[in-house]
């Protein structure tokens, strides 16, 4: 494996992400997805218990639970280690979706019929599914995969939940980072090319 090439590609992807942060469309996708996934992971921290509580407490109780989940994205009433995990994953997912939204808009404007948009959306869907599947509280056996493991392995399922949910989450993060590398590179190329064409058009008008 050519590590120098990989480092160069990650550096290029980083430049692409920095360029994307100057675009309003990126921030729209980022903020919405960051808050959504952060809240979702906080709500799933006890399995489905918070959703059951929301159904039992009515509108006012549900709003209180949602507000706590929202504040939890920023560390409110959260254990630092758990909050860092939720925050990091939410930022990663928000950045990925923000880039996909930006690329979608730019390719639509340029009438680019490239099929990579659909592939990017599929990857985001896979990552989202893995993050949701591994979400919850592995130490207390309340991740979303607990019922499945319990059905397959009976009492052994709960013991394996923490390990498997951690593996699922780690897999989601790895896929997300690799996707960020590729989509970040693509973003850099498109934005730089867009600037070049704009300057070229201005020069031709001024000639």
């Amino acid at each position: 494996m050519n590590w120098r090439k990989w480092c160069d590609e990650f550096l290029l992807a980083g430049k692409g992400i920095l360029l994307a942060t100057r675009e309003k469309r990126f921030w729209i996708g980022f903020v919405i997805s960051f808050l959504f996934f952060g809240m979702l992971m906080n709500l799933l921290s006890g399995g489905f218990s918070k959703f059951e509580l929301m159904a039992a407490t009515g509108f006012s109780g549900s709003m209180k639970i949602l507000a706590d989940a929202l504040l939890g994205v920023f560390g409110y009433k959260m254990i630092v280690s758990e909050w860092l995990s939720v925050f990091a994953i939410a930022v990663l997912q928000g950045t990925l979706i923000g880039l996909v939204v930006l690329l979608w808009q730019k390719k639509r404007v340029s009438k680019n019929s490239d099929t990579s948009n659909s592939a990017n959306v599929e990857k985001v869907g896979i990552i989202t599914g893995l993050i949701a599947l591994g979400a919850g509280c592995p130490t207390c056996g309340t991740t979303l995969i607990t019922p499945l493991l319990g059905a397959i392995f009976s009492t052994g399922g709960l013991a394996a939940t923490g390990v498997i949910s951690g593996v699922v989450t780690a897999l989601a993060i790895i896929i997300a980072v690799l996707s960020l590398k590729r989509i970040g590179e693509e973003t850099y190329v498109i934005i730089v090319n867009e600037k070049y064409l704009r300057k070229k058009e201005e020069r031709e008008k001024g000639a």
Side-chain angles (χ1 to χ4, degrees):
M1 181 181 291
N2 192 332
W3 291 106
R4 184 171 182 177
K5 180 183 176 183
W6 266 66
C7 289
D8 289 341
E9 289 175 347
F10 271 108
L11 182 61
L12 194 65
K15 290 180 179 178
I17 294 172
L18 286 176
L19 288 174
T21 59
R22 301 175 185 176
E23 304 275 349
K24 180 180 178 181
R25 187 76 59 173
F26 167 81
W27 286 109
I28 293 174
F30 173 84
V31 171
I32 292 174
S33 54
F34 167 75
L35 293 176
F36 174 78
F37 284 102
M39 289 178 65
L40 180 62
M41 285 186 285
N42 284 331
L43 289 172
L44 292 173
S45 62
F48 290 107
S49 60
K50 289 185 180 179
F51 290 99
E52 294 172 353
L53 185 60
M54 287 171 65
T57 55
F59 180 77
S60 59
S62 297
M63 290 299 100
K64 176 65 168 57
I65 294 172
L66 289 175
D68 286 343
L70 176 61
L71 293 173
V73 179
F74 304 99
Y76 178 70
K77 290 184 179 179
M78 292 279 289
I79 298 173
V80 175
S81 58
E82 293 181 2
W83 171 72
L84 286 175
S85 175
V86 169
F87 186 80
I89 292 174
V91 168
L92 196 61
Q93 186 74 344
T95 302
L96 188 58
I97 292 179
L99 290 176
V100 170
V101 169
L102 179 62
L103 284 178
W104 193 292
Q105 183 263 340
K106 286 189 175 297
K107 289 185 176 182
R108 187 182 62 180
V109 170
S110 63
K111 296 180 173 59
N112 189 330
S113 59
D114 194 335
T115 58
S116 62
N117 274 329
S118 298
N120 291 339
V121 172
E122 289 175 6
K123 286 185 178 181
V124 169
I126 292 172
I127 295 165
T128 299
L130 289 172
I131 288 175
L133 193 61
C137 179
T139 57
C140 57
T142 56
T143 63
L144 294 187
I145 59 176
T146 298
L148 177 61
L149 292 176
I152 297 175
F153 301 107
S154 186
T155 56
L158 293 177
T161 296
V163 175
I164 295 179
S165 64
V167 171
V168 169
T169 302
L171 180 61
I173 292 174
I174 291 171
I175 295 174
V177 170
L178 294 177
S179 297
L180 272 178
K181 183 182 80 69
R182 195 185 68 78
I183 298 174
E185 288 180 275
E186 189 176 353
T187 302
Y188 177 82
V189 171
I190 287 180
I191 292 178
V192 169
N193 183 61
E194 186 180 73
K195 289 182 178 180
Y196 168 76
L197 293 176
R198 191 182 302 123
K199 289 181 179 179
K200 182 181 179 181
E201 185 179 347
E202 290 174 354
R203 285 198 302 266
E204 289 176 351
K205 287 181 178 180

